[in-house]
C-alpha cells in the first residue's frame, strides 16, 4: 500500500477509525485538537458518532457508555484533561470496559505549557485514576509506530477488557511523516458479544448489568484477576526496541520523541567508536524489565535516562531493574524546550568522561 | 361453582421479586415501581436501558430487571449520551438523585439537555444526600436541617435550593419537562403518566425529556414516613411547585 504524508494527530485518528473505532467524545485542549477535529468529519462518513463533550469528565463517560454497547470507542486529551478523565478511566477499568485513551502530552505540572513534553510518564504508568488498576501504555516514537499501535489498541483493550493508553507527545502529534495506513476493519462485536448490552432487533436474552459496584468477595476476586492479568502482560505483551545493546558499555534509555533524538546521538557515538546502545520501551507499562536483566553488568559502565522532562520520571522504573549494578544518570529538557542533538550528545559525553 | 379470580394487579415484570432494601417509607421504592409500570405499559421491557447513578438509587441494581449500566457520580447523562448515540432505538433513561444531578453532575445534565439528547432523565429530589447520611443537598430547603447544616440551611452561606425543572425548561432543546410529587396517590398517578409520556416522546425521537420527582427521606429528615409526606406538602411542594414546565406537544 502506498505511503501518504499525514500529521501525527490525524494519522492516529485515521488509524483508530481503521481499527474499528466508531465513537469519539472529547474536549478541546492543545496539542491534540486535530484528533477531535479530524474525527468530527471522519466518523460520520463510516456510520460512527462524534460528540464534543462539555468537559473531559463528560467525554470519558460518554466513551464509557458507548463501550457498554460493544462499540469501539476512544477519547483523547492532554495532561490537564487526562487528570479530569482519571475518574472515568478508573470506572472503565472497574467495569472492565475496553476503550482507547490518547494523551498527546505537553509540559506540566498544572496548566504547564502547550509545547511538547514527556511530563506524564508517572501519571500514565502509575496513577491514571484511583483504585490501583493498571492499563497498557503504548509510547510510539514515529508516526508509523503510532498508527500501528493505535490500530492494534482495540484488540488488546477487548482481549483484556481494560482501557489502553496511547502516550504521544506534542512533537509526534504535530509533525508530518509518511505513513502506511492499515486496512479498514469492519466493526464487529465478536470480542464483546458475551457481555455487551447491545441487542439486535428482536433479540431476547437475560438482562445484563455493567456496573462499578461489587460485593466484597467479588471485588477481591476481580482484583486478583487484575493482578494476574498485569503479570501476564509482563510475560507476553512487552514491546521494546533494544538498539545496539549487546556489547554496550553505555546504555541510553529513552522513549517517544526523546528516543528519536537519543538514537541520533547513539549512532554518532558509535561512529566514533563508543560502545553505546539504547533500550527504548514501547510499552511503558508493562515496562521492559527483561531488557535490563539481560544486560552484562560486567561491561555496562552507566545507564543514561533521557527524557523530555525534568526531573526524569522513568528513572525509578529503570533503577528497580538495574538494582545498583550500574550508576544511573539522567538528562532532559522541560517547560516546552526540546531536546536537540548537541544537547543529548554533550550530556552523554559528560557521563562517559565522568564514569571513564 | 368455583369462584373465578382475575388478576388485576401484580408486581411489574421489570422489578425483581426481591425485598426492597430502601428504608421504610422511602419513596424511591414507589418511584422504581411507577417507572417499571411505565416501561411495561409501553411494552419496552426488553428494550429498556437503565443508567444507574451513585447514591441510594444505585440500589436499583438489586431491584431492576433489565439491562443496566452503573455511572460515576453525576455522570449518568454523559454515559446515557454514549449509549443512546450508539443505540438510538433503545429506551434509555437515567435515574438520578439531587446530589448526583444538581451538584456534582450539573454540567452533564445541563449539557445533555441542551444538546437535546434523545433520552429521559428521572430526577429524584429528596432535598438530601441519603446514602452518605443526610448532608445538605443543593435542593435542601431554606432552614431545613442536615448533618452539614445543623442549624438549618442558610441563604447567606448556601444560597437557595436549585430548581432544576425550571432551569431545564428554559433551554431550547428539551421536549418535555415536568415535576411531580410522590406523596399523594394523585401525584403518583400523574407522575406515572408523565413518565410514560416522556418515554413515549423519547421513542418517537422528540428530544430530551426530564421528570423531576419530589420524594422524601424519612431516615435523614428524622421523621416518620407519614410526617415526611406531610412535610412535603407543607414545605417542599411550596418551593418546588409541581407542574408541566415544558411540553412541545402542547406548544405545537
Amino acid at each position: 500500500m502506498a505511503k501518504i504524508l499525514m500529521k501525527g494527530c490525524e494519522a492516529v485518528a485515521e488509524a483508530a477509525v481503521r481499527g474499528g473505532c466508531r465513537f469519539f467524545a472529547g474536549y478541546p485542549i492543545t496539542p491534540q485538537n486535530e484528533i477531535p477535529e479530524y474525527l468530527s468529519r471522519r466518523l460520520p462518513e463510516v456510520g460512527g458518532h462524534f460528540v464534543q463533550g462539555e468537559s473531559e469528565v463528560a467525554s470519558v463517560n460518554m466513551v464509557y457508555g458507548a463501550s457498554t454497547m460493544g462499540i469501539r470507542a476512544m477519547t483523547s486529551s492532554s495532561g490537564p484533561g487526562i487528570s479530569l478523565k482519571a475518574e472515568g478511566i478508573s470506572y472503565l477499568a472497574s467495569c472492565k470496559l475496553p476503550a482507547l485513551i490518547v494523551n498527546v502530552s505537553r509540559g506540566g505540572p498544572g496548566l504547564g505549557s502547550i509545547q511538547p513534553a514527556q511530563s506524564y510518564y508517572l501519571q500514565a504508568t502509575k496513577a491514571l485514576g484511583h483504585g490501583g488498576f493498571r492499563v497498557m501504555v503504548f509510547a510510539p516514537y514515529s508516526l508509523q509506530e503510532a498508527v500501528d499501535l493505535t490500530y492494534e489498541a482495540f484488540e488488546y483493550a477487548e482481549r483484556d477488557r481494560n482501557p489502553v493508553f496511547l502516550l504521544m507527545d506534542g512533537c509526534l502529534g504535530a509533525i508530518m511523516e509518511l505513513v502506511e495506513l492499515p486496512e479498514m476493519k469492519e466493526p464487529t462485536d465478536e470480542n464483546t458479544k458475551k457481555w455487551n448490552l447491545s441487542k439486535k432487533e428482536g433479540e431476547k436474552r437475560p438482562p445484563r448489568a455493567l456496573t462499578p459496584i461489587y460485593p466484597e468477595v467479588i471485588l477481591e476476586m476481580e482484583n486478583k484477576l487484575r493482578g494476574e492479568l498485569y503479570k501476564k502482560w509482563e510475560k507476553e505483551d512487552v514491546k521494546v526496541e533494544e538498539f545496539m545493546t549487546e556489547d554496550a558499555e553505555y546504555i541510553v534509555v529513552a522513549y517517544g520523541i526523546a528516543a528519536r533524538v537519543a538514537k541520533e546521538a547513539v549512532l554518532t557515538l558509535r561512529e566514533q567508536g563508543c560502545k553505546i546502545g539504547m533500550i527504548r520501551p514501547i510499552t511503558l507499562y508493562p515496562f521492559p524489565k527483561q531488557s535490563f536483566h539481560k544486560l552484562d553488568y560486567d561491561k555496562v559502565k552507566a545507564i543514561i535516562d533521557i527524557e523530555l522532562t525534568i526531573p526524569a520520571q522513568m528513572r525509578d522504573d529503570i533503577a528497580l531493574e538495574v538494582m545498583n549494578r550500574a550508576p544511573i544518570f539522567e538528562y532532559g529538557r522541560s517547560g516546552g524546550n526540546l531536546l536537540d542533538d548537541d544537547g543529548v550528545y554533550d550530556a552523554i559525553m559528560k557521563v562517559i568522561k565522568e564514569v571513564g | 361453582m368455583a369462584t373465578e379470580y382475575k388478576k388485576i394487579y401484580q408486581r411489574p415484570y421489570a422489578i425483581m421479586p426481591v425485598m426492597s432494601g430502601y428504608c421504610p417509607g422511602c419513596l424511591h421504592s414507589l418511584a422504581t415501581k411507577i417507572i417499571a409500570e411505565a416501561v411495561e405499559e409501553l411494552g419496552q421491557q426488553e428494550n429498556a436501558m437503565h443508567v444507574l447513578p451513585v447514591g441510594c438509587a444505585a440500589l436499583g441494581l438489586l431491584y431492576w430487571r433489565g439491562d443496566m449500566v452503573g455511572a460515576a457520580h453525576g455522570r449518568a447523562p454523559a454515559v446515557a449520551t454514549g449509549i443512546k448515540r450508539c443505540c438510538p432505538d433503545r429506551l434509555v433513561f437515567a435515574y438520578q438523585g439531587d446530589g448526583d444531578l444538581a451538584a456534582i453532575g450539573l454540567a452533564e445534565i445541563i449539557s445533555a439537555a441542551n444538546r437535546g439528547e434523545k433520552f429521559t432523565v428521572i430526577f429524584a429530589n429528596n432535598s438530601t444526600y441519603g446514602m452518605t447520611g443526610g448532608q445538605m443537598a443543593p435542593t435542601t430547603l431554606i432552614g431545613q436541617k442536615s448533618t452539614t447544616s445543623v442549624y438549618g440551611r442558610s441563604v447567606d452561606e448556601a444560597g437557595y435550593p436549585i430548581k432544576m425543572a425550571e432551569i431545564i425548561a428554559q433551554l431550547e432543546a428539551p421536549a418535555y419537562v415536568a415535576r411531580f410529587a410522590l406523596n399523594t396517590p394523585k401525584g403518583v398517578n400523574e407522575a406515572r403518566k408523565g413518565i410514560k409520556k416522556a418515554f413515549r416522546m423519547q421513542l418517537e425521537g422528540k428530544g430530551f425529556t426530564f421528570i423531576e420527582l419530589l420524594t422524601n427521606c424519612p431516615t435523614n429528615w428524622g421523621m416518620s414516613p407519614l410526617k415526611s409526606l406531610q412535610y412535603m406538602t407543607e414545605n417542599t411542594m411550596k418551593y418546588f411547585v409541581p407542574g408541566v414546565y415544558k411540553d412541545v406537544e402542547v406548544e405545537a
Side-chain angles (χ1 to χ4, degrees):
Chain A
M1 190 181 266
K3 289 190 172 185
I4 59 167
L5 190 64
M6 282 190 93
K7 187 170 179 171
C9 282
E10 296 189 344
V12 163
E14 178 60 30
V17 170
R18 289 174 182 239
C21 177
R22 290 298 177 270
F23 185 88
F24 178 94
Y27 184 87
I29 181 171
T30 307
Q32 61 83 56
N33 295 315
E34 294 85 349
I35 296 177
E37 284 168 356
Y38 183 88
L39 290 172
S40 70
R41 50 186 195 268
R42 182 70 173 108
L43 278 172
E45 291 175 0
V46 292
H49 305 277
F50 169 89
V51 185
Q52 182 164 327
E54 59 271 26
S55 68
E56 284 92 347
V57 177
S59 301
V60 71
N61 281 289
M62 291 173 189
V63 165
Y64 176 99
S67 182
T68 64
M69 306 314 278
I71 303 292
R72 288 189 168 179
M74 74 179 271
T75 184
S76 64
S77 193
S78 188
I82 296 293
S83 292
L84 290 172
K85 287 187 199 293
E87 172 195 85
I89 299 171
S90 178
Y91 274 71
L92 285 165
S94 165
C95 227
K96 300 196 288 183
L97 292 172
L100 172 61
I101 296 133
V102 178
N103 186 356
V104 186
S105 59
R106 56 192 237 177
L111 191 60
S113 65
I114 59 168
Q115 285 79 20
Q118 293 182 313
S119 53
Y120 310 140
Y121 178 90
L122 288 172
Q123 184 189 34
T125 58
K126 321 276 185 222
L128 273 177
H130 60 281
F133 69 95
R134 302 288 184 129
V135 305
M136 287 183 103
V137 181
F138 294 157
Y141 93 138
S142 70
L143 295 198
Q144 188 62 56
E145 201 169 74
V147 162
D148 295 343
L149 290 169
T150 304
Y151 189 67
E152 284 176 29
F154 290 106
E155 305 290 342
Y156 284 103
E158 288 176 357
R159 181 196 70 180
D160 300 334
R161 291 192 62 183
N162 203 53
V164 168
F165 201 77
L166 184 79
L167 184 62
M168 310 239 292
D169 57 75
C171 287
L172 284 181
I175 59 171
M176 293 185 83
E177 281 191 303
L178 285 172
V179 291
E180 191 177 316
L181 292 168
E183 291 291 308
M184 182 73 109
K185 272 185 211 166
E186 276 313 304
T188 160
D189 69 349
E190 197 53 38
N191 299 334
T192 66
K193 65 182 180 191
K194 282 189 183 148
W195 55 263
N196 82 50
L197 303 185
S198 70
K199 273 186 180 172
K200 314 234 166 6
E201 205 181 329
E203 182 187 342
K204 286 195 176 183
R205 55 155 170 75
R208 290 174 177 174
L210 287 167
T211 86
I213 309 168
Y214 295 93
E216 293 87 336
V217 178
I218 309 282
L219 183 54
E220 185 172 67
M221 190 191 78
E222 290 290 347
N223 284 337
K224 281 179 183 166
L225 291 174
R226 280 191 187 96
E228 285 165 22
L229 176 67
Y230 307 155
K231 283 197 187 108
K232 193 165 146 271
W233 289 349
E234 284 186 6
K235 281 193 196 128
E236 297 173 11
D237 294 314
V238 168
K239 294 178 196 283
V240 61
E241 180 188 1
E242 292 164 359
F243 183 68
M244 297 182 165
T245 53
E246 263 180 29
D247 64 337
E249 294 173 349
Y250 301 94
I251 299 285
V252 168
V253 190
Y255 72 92
I257 194 70
R260 214 146 144 166
V261 184
K263 202 177 224 180
E264 288 299 315
V266 168
L267 286 169
T268 307
L269 284 157
R270 275 278 170 183
E271 276 169 24
Q272 294 168 3
C274 177
K275 287 184 177 169
I276 186 166
M278 179 170 79
I279 294 174
R280 176 173 74 88
I282 300 169
T283 50
L284 300 184
Y285 194 90
F287 192 69
K289 297 179 177 179
Q290 291 305 324
S291 302
F292 293 90
H293 293 178
K294 69 187 186 196
L295 292 176
D296 181 355
Y297 287 96
D298 290 334
K299 278 191 208 151
V300 174
K301 294 179 183 168
I303 310 270
I304 310 152
D305 175 9
I306 296 175
E307 298 180 53
L308 189 55
T309 190
I310 298 173
Q313 297 187 27
M314 188 166 52
R315 183 176 180 146
D316 293 347
D317 282 341
I318 298 168
L320 277 172
E321 307 314 321
V322 172
M323 293 185 282
N324 287 323
R325 287 175 288 185
I328 300 170
F329 298 84
E330 66 181 61
Y331 173 71
R333 297 297 304 277
S334 182
N337 299 295
L338 299 181
L339 291 163
D340 57 51
D341 290 346
D342 291 346
V344 172
Y345 177 88
D346 291 348
I348 295 171
M349 282 308 289
K350 196 175 156 213
V351 171
I352 291 172
K353 271 178 201 154
E354 196 175 324
V355 178
Chain B
M1 195 179 139
T3 313
E4 276 190 37
Y5 292 102
K6 197 177 155 195
K7 203 177 215 176
I8 56 165
Y9 183 79
Q10 64 179 342
R11 181 192 292 270
Y13 170 83
I15 295 180
M16 295 292 284
V18 293
M19 288 272 286
S20 164
Y22 288 123
C23 299
C26 169
L27 290 172
H28 269 312
S29 313
L30 186 58
T32 306
K33 188 183 80 170
I34 60 173
I35 295 166
E37 285 171 350
V39 168
E40 200 161 305
E41 283 171 28
L42 291 165
Q44 293 293 310
Q45 296 95 315
E46 292 288 338
N47 196 36
M49 179 78 203
H50 189 164
V51 183
L52 297 163
V54 161
C56 291
L59 287 172
L61 180 61
L62 304 174
Y63 314 134
W64 194 257
R65 175 152 46 194
D67 288 349
M68 279 179 286
V69 174
H73 199 24
R75 318 300 175 219
V79 173
T81 297
I83 293 168
K84 187 73 181 184
R85 292 281 184 116
C86 293
C87 298
D89 296 332
R90 294 295 287 269
L91 175 71
V92 178
F93 65 95
Y95 182 74
Q96 298 182 263
D98 34 21
D100 199 78
L101 182 137
I104 197 167
L106 262 183
E108 284 77 11
I109 185 63
I110 295 288
S111 305
N114 193 49
R115 286 192 304 268
E117 296 292 343
K118 293 177 183 61
F119 56 77
T120 304
V121 173
I122 297 165
F123 168 41
N125 174 0
N126 65 357
S127 300
T128 190
Y129 283 80
M131 178 68 91
T132 47
Q135 293 80 15
M136 184 176 66
T139 46
T140 297
L141 300 174
I142 302 302
Q144 193 174 8
K145 289 175 182 168
S146 75
T147 61
T148 51
S149 59
V150 291
Y151 302 111
R153 179 182 183 139
S154 105
V155 170
D156 202 32
E157 287 182 3
Y160 291 88
I162 191 162
K163 295 178 178 176
M164 290 309 300
E166 287 87 333
I167 289 172
I168 288 170
Q170 52 102 30
L171 298 170
E172 290 294 329
Y176 181 62
V177 180
R179 177 187 290 129
F180 305 100
L182 296 187
N183 59 337
T184 63
K186 180 168 175 274
V188 173
N189 280 333
E190 285 171 358
R192 186 190 291 106
K193 281 181 204 153
I195 293 166
K196 190 176 166 188
K197 178 180 164 80
F199 285 170
R200 176 182 55 75
M201 289 173 77
Q202 176 190 156
L203 291 167
E204 289 167 2
K206 292 205 167 136
F208 182 80
T209 47
F210 184 84
I211 304 286
E212 180 171 336
L213 300 176
L214 299 180
T215 60
N216 63 347
C217 185
T219 302
N220 289 306
W221 289 3
M223 292 176 197
S224 69
L226 210 55
K227 183 88 195 301
S228 74
L229 302 184
Q230 199 184 333
Y231 180 89
M232 285 174 68
T233 308
E234 288 165 6
N235 301 278
T236 317
M237 289 164 69
K238 291 204 170 126
Y239 186 83
F240 295 113
V241 180
V244 174
Y245 285 85
K246 187 164 189 200
D247 184 350
V248 292
E249 290 182 335
V250 171
E251 286 160 25

